[in-house]
Amino acid sequence: MKHLTLLRLEQSQEGTFGFLLASNKIICATLELPWNDNKPFLSCIPNGVYECVRITSELVSNVGGKTYIVHNVPGRSGILFHTGNWVTDTDGCIITGLYHGYLKNPKTERVERVVLGSRHAFKRFMEEMEGIGRFVLVVRSEQY
């Protein structure tokens, strides 16, 4: 079975920023909610090992709704990989991007950390996973 690693490099109140890797090759940048004790809709998922399964979801508008759901997260369900830019675009899911950056949020007028190139990155992720129905996701944090 294919194994991917979600390597988290920075965690703050702005979000959890990392990279998704396959065979030590970066597939995309990632953005998740900050750690908040694994509270549903308010926190990223705990470090650990999870099974991910390919599904079709009406919540994912690009690539025909195809995505992956993360299973066996303690006390949580419905954790998807999807597009977005802002930490407010996720309710606990994993957002893909080409790289991390900064944008002025039109709602708050503040410059915030984001992931950019999300649709392109999600397409790249799905192309990497072509023909794969399940994979193992290892989530770990490296603080520098």
Side-chain angles (χ1 to χ4, degrees):
M1 184 178 291
K2 187 168 183 102
H3 285 68
L4 298 184
T5 300
L6 174 55
L7 180 60
R8 295 169 169 161
L9 297 178
E10 180 185 342
Q11 293 189 10
S12 71
Q13 286 308 105
E14 291 184 292
T16 301
F17 299 87
F19 293 94
L20 189 63
L21 299 100
S23 302
N24 293 320
K25 177 185 96 177
I26 294 174
I27 298 172
C28 61
T30 59
L31 171 59
E32 303 167 85
L33 287 170
W35 176 250
N36 194 10
D37 297 321
N38 196 35
K39 293 178 184 169
F41 308 107
L42 299 173
S43 178
C44 60
I45 64 175
N47 289 341
V49 179
Y50 304 99
E51 180 183 31
C52 297
V53 177
R54 190 177 184 118
I55 64 164
T56 301
S57 171
E58 67 278 355
L59 300 175
V60 180
S61 59
N62 53 325
V63 295
K66 293 182 180 14
T67 189
Y68 288 86
I69 189 167
V70 183
H71 283 300
N72 304 321
V73 178
R76 305 274 297 276
S77 63
I79 310 296
L80 302 175
F81 285 86
H82 64 80
T83 60
N85 298 106
W86 313 93
V87 73
T88 54
D89 291 334
T90 178
D91 288 326
C93 296
I94 302 165
I95 296 176
T96 62
L98 291 178
Y99 52 93
H100 302 114
Y102 294 88
L103 281 179
K104 185 175 183 180
N105 187 327
K107 295 177 186 174
T108 65
E109 295 296 314
R110 290 185 10 231
V111 174
E112 298 176 13
R113 289 284 310 271
V114 295
V115 286
L116 299 164
S118 186
R119 290 176 196 258
H120 185 75
F122 190 80
K123 183 178 179 210
R124 179 190 294 171
F125 166 62
M126 293 305 288
E127 287 171 354
E128 175 77 25
M129 304 306 289
E130 183 66 35
I132 297 172
R134 298 173 178 275
F135 68 91
V136 172
L137 178 66
V138 177
V139 179
R140 63 186 180 94
S141 297
E142 295 288 331
Q143 301 290 28
Y144 294 100

